[in-house]
Amino acid sequence: MKKNKKKIFTVIIVCISLVIILIAGYEIKENVRIGKIVESHKTEQNAKQNDVVRSNDENGSKHISTAVQQIMIGTMSNNYDNALQTLLNIKNAGYDSIELNDFMIHKSSMLVKLMTKFSGMSIGNGGKLDWPKLIEESGLNVISIHSNLGSIENDAKAIADEAKKFGTDTIVITGMYKFDYSSLDNVEELAKRLNQAGKALSEEGIRLLYHNHNVELQKVTSEKTAYDIIIEQTDPAYVNFEFDSYWMADGGANVPALMEKLGNRMKLWHINDRGYTKSGPYMTPILKENATELGSGNMDLDTLSAIAIKNGVEGVILETHKNWVNNDPIKSLQVSSEYMQDSFGDKDN
């Protein structure tokens, strides 16, 4: 019996050791890959701040900020130097801002890291880095910070103070997780909570935006979706929107109609394109779509851009999670920058 226990114990130790070796080997390989990507895009540091985010430029025309969502560069943030070089590449590509996530600028649990990694949105080791210093050195602005409703309800002042520390007046709540969007009662209660959270933040000089996924398209009555209820039952004085057109297209919605319904309540726009650009052959019946660089897919971004500009959108934020050119998020955001600058760049400069 003792011998059997000893054998079992030995097998367990060997298995654990192998897992540790495999993980360590993967991390080394991944760090080498990331290092090569960052080195291939190395750019000089220029910490000249862009002071215009939501105001008019010197010529009096409306400036639309262009930004990158932090989740896109999670894998590139494995250490300070690589994170800084990546931010400098964002700046050098023509973007003026970045949108931060609170779970990426603070230490996250292993569970959160694993969940984001397996969902294709790895957060890397960014939580260990000095993001205020990184932002200052990069010359980028922070257009907004993604947070969660529970944190705001728990301590709105702390959330507001962090936003101010990064020089932004905008907090964004993404679609609620483990939440029943098929229940009218639940969605109406969510609208009330959003109003209360937005009011609490407004008293601290910060505004609240709601970011959709596609689950908000669930019908809660014969006529209305959860998103309709959220729009109609939130107070524009306290709650407005960061609209994600990719998710709404993914859910089969009439995206232009939704953007028109939001009107000037759509303060920020998450932009992405949707298609499939890997090599063929392509055979019927199913071609799996995925995110792709702006202008490479099949979304009518020109129509959506015109609606956004007409309704006074303040910032346009690029976000893709995977399917990047050469598996390189920096190259991907550089390619997408051409569309961003052509559509939203300052024409008079």
Side-chain angles (χ1 to χ4, degrees), residues 63-179:
H63 174 83
I64 299 175
S65 184
T66 56
V68 170
Q69 224 292 329
Q70 188 185 12
I71 197 74
M72 194 170 176
I73 61 167
T75 54
M76 300 292 102
S77 303
N78 61 331
N79 60 51
Y80 189 93
D81 290 341
N82 283 349
L84 178 58
Q85 279 297 316
T86 300
L87 293 176
L88 291 171
N89 275 292
I90 291 172
K91 178 79 171 177
N92 195 48
Y95 302 89
D96 53 54
S97 303
I98 187 167
E99 181 175 61
L100 298 177
N101 304 311
D102 59 4
F103 61 89
M104 294 182 71
I105 57 177
H106 300 294
K107 290 182 180 179
S108 295
S109 67
M110 183 57 66
L111 179 61
V112 171
K113 287 185 176 182
L114 289 173
M115 286 175 63
T116 55
K117 188 174 186 64
F118 286 122
S119 64
M121 301 182 290
S122 178
I123 63 173
N125 295 316
K128 300 177 182 179
L129 305 181
D130 186 345
W131 282 95
K133 184 179 178 184
L134 281 167
I135 296 301
E136 181 180 1
E137 289 190 53
S138 72
L140 288 168
N141 291 299
V142 173
I143 192 169
S144 57
I145 299 176
H146 274 212
S147 189
N148 64 85
L149 183 54
S151 295
I152 298 169
E153 290 173 331
N154 184 55
D155 193 343
K157 186 177 186 306
I159 299 297
D161 287 346
E162 179 157 75
K164 293 172 186 176
K165 180 175 72 174
F166 282 100
T168 182
D169 65 356
T170 305
I171 291 291
V172 181
I173 291 175
T174 61
M176 301 281 288
Y177 291 94
K178 295 183 179 179
F179 179 84

Side-chain angles (χ1 to χ4, degrees), residues 232-252:
E232 294 164 10
Q233 295 192 19
T234 51
D235 186 340
Y238 301 129
V239 181
N240 286 291
F241 294 87
E242 177 179 78
F243 184 71
D244 192 310
S245 52
Y246 180 93
W247 282 119
M248 287 305 189
D250 184 75

